[in-house]
Amino acid sequence: MVRGKTVLKRIENETSLQVTFSKRRNGLFKKAKELAILCDAQVGVLVFSSTGHLYDFSSCSMKSIIERYRHVKEGQQQSNASAESKYWQEEAASLRQQLHNLQVNHRQLLGENLSDLGVKDMQMLEKQLEMSLHNVRLKKEQLMIDRMEEMNEKSVLINNENMELQHKINIVSQENIDLRKKVYGQHEGTAGNTGSATEHSENILHSQMADCQPQNEGIEQPDEPELDSIALNTTQEQGAESSTIRNQSSIMGSRHLDIL
């Protein structure tokens, strides 16, 4: 009858666990003993059970095996440390060499330390410089083109703003012209009315004087200078009234302009 494959997992039954542990432990110690005898090897086995019990097997003294293990382990660690240190030393030396080569190449590009170069090396250096100069010129041209395009865009924006401002200025100027026409037109109309009123008053005064002359033939008439002074005073009073009206018109016009 074929035996089934054992599934490797923890045994939950405590009795089965103890039986299996005892059998496997004895089998392990038996294999270790056979290995030590057949191969002349120093074998040491330490086993701790789930309950904390210690079981061991050694082909010789367990202490000597443990000391040998520690000595070998420390030697391996030191060997690993020395190998790692050697690796980093080699890496540092390689980086220093690369830095030296880069510095030499940089000085050669600047035209220094060219005495050790041959003809082929000089030709290669010349081609490298020409390629670098070509790339620099291309980059410079691209930057200049981009800058010119940016300036053109700004110029278009500024021109549009100037046109808008000029349009606004023209509108304001036309409004000021229309306002001045209205203000000065009212002022001229007031002045015309004032002048006609003055002429009408003078005509009335002369007609009254003419009417009074026949009635007062027997009365002593005043002298001509006195009549002239009376007419002059009347004219001055009417002129003062006219100037007052003009001043009021100019004040109203200036206030209207201030409000606009």
Side-chain angles (χ1 to χ4, degrees):
M1 184 175 179
V2 181
R3 185 179 179 183
K5 186 177 179 180
T6 304
V7 180
L8 295 177
K9 65 178 183 179
R10 187 179 185 278
I11 300 173
E12 299 297 335
N13 192 329
E14 292 294 333
T15 304
S16 299
L17 187 145
Q18 292 296 330
V19 172
T20 302
F21 175 75
S22 179
K23 290 180 179 180
R24 296 294 177 104
R25 181 194 65 201
N26 293 331
L28 178 61
F29 288 167
K30 182 180 179 181
K31 293 293 184 181
K33 184 178 180 180
E34 292 176 355
L35 178 63
I37 295 171
L38 294 173
C39 300
D40 193 19
Q42 291 183 351
V43 181
V45 181
L46 295 174
V47 179
F48 290 92
S49 67
S50 59
T51 57
H53 291 86
L54 172 63
Y55 304 91
D56 62 343
F57 168 82
S58 62
S59 60
C60 59
S61 175
M62 181 62 76
K63 184 177 181 180
S64 63
I65 292 175
I66 294 174
E67 290 295 333
R68 185 176 181 181
Y69 169 78
R70 290 178 178 175
H71 178 72
V72 173
K73 195 67 176 178
E74 290 176 358
Q76 289 179 353
Q77 291 177 355
Q78 292 177 358
S79 177
N80 292 334
S82 61
E84 186 176 2
S85 176
K86 184 178 180 180
Y87 167 78
W88 287 115
Q89 288 176 359
E90 293 176 354
E91 189 70 17
S94 176
L95 291 174
R96 282 194 294 268
Q97 184 63 35
Q98 292 180 8
L99 178 61
H100 176 72
N101 294 334
L102 290 173
Q103 290 176 349
V104 170
N105 190 17
H106 179 68
R107 284 195 288 269
Q108 289 176 356
L109 290 174
L110 294 176
E112 301 175 358
N113 299 334
L114 301 177
S115 59
D116 297 335
L117 298 179
V119 177
K120 293 183 178 180
D121 295 334
M122 296 289 287
Q123 290 177 353
M124 292 179 61
L125 181 62
E126 184 179 3
K127 290 181 180 179
Q128 186 177 359
L129 289 172
E130 288 178 355
M131 291 179 62
S132 300
L133 183 60
H134 178 68
N135 293 331
V136 170
R137 287 176 177 173
L138 289 178
K139 185 64 176 178
K140 178 183 176 182
E141 291 177 358
Q142 185 64 37
L143 290 174
M144 292 179 67
I145 290 171
D146 295 340
R147 186 64 183 276
M148 290 176 65
E149 291 178 355
E150 183 180 357
M151 296 298 291
N152 289 331
E153 292 177 358
K154 290 183 178 180
S155 177
V156 171
L157 293 175
I158 291 173
N159 289 331
N160 293 333
E161 291 178 357
N162 288 335
M163 293 176 65
E164 292 178 359
L165 291 174
Q166 186 64 37
H167 181 66
K168 291 180 180 180
I169 290 172
N170 293 333
I171 293 173
V172 173
S173 299
Q174 187 63 36
E175 291 177 354
N176 290 334
I177 291 171
D178 295 339
L179 182 61
R180 288 174 183 172
K181 287 181 180 180
K182 291 180 181 179
V183 172
Y184 288 119
Q186 293 176 359
H187 177 70
E188 290 176 357
T190 304
N193 293 330
T194 304
S196 61
T198 303
E199 292 177 356
H200 181 67
S201 300
E202 290 178 354
N203 293 330
I204 293 172
L205 179 63
H206 286 296
S207 61
Q208 290 178 355
M209 291 175 65
D211 293 337
C212 291
Q213 283 180 0
Q215 296 176 1
N216 298 327
E217 289 179 355
I219 301 171
E220 185 178 356
Q221 299 294 330
D223 297 335
E224 291 183 358
E226 292 180 357
L227 293 174
D228 293 336
S229 62
I230 293 170
L232 181 61
N233 291 331
T234 304
T235 303
Q236 289 178 354
E237 290 177 357
Q238 293 176 354
E241 293 178 356
S242 176
S243 63
T244 302
I245 294 171
R246 290 175 184 174
N247 292 330
Q248 291 178 354
S249 299
S250 62
I251 290 170
M252 291 175 63
S254 62
R255 288 181 178 176
H256 189 59
L257 289 174
D258 292 335
I259 292 171
L260 294 175

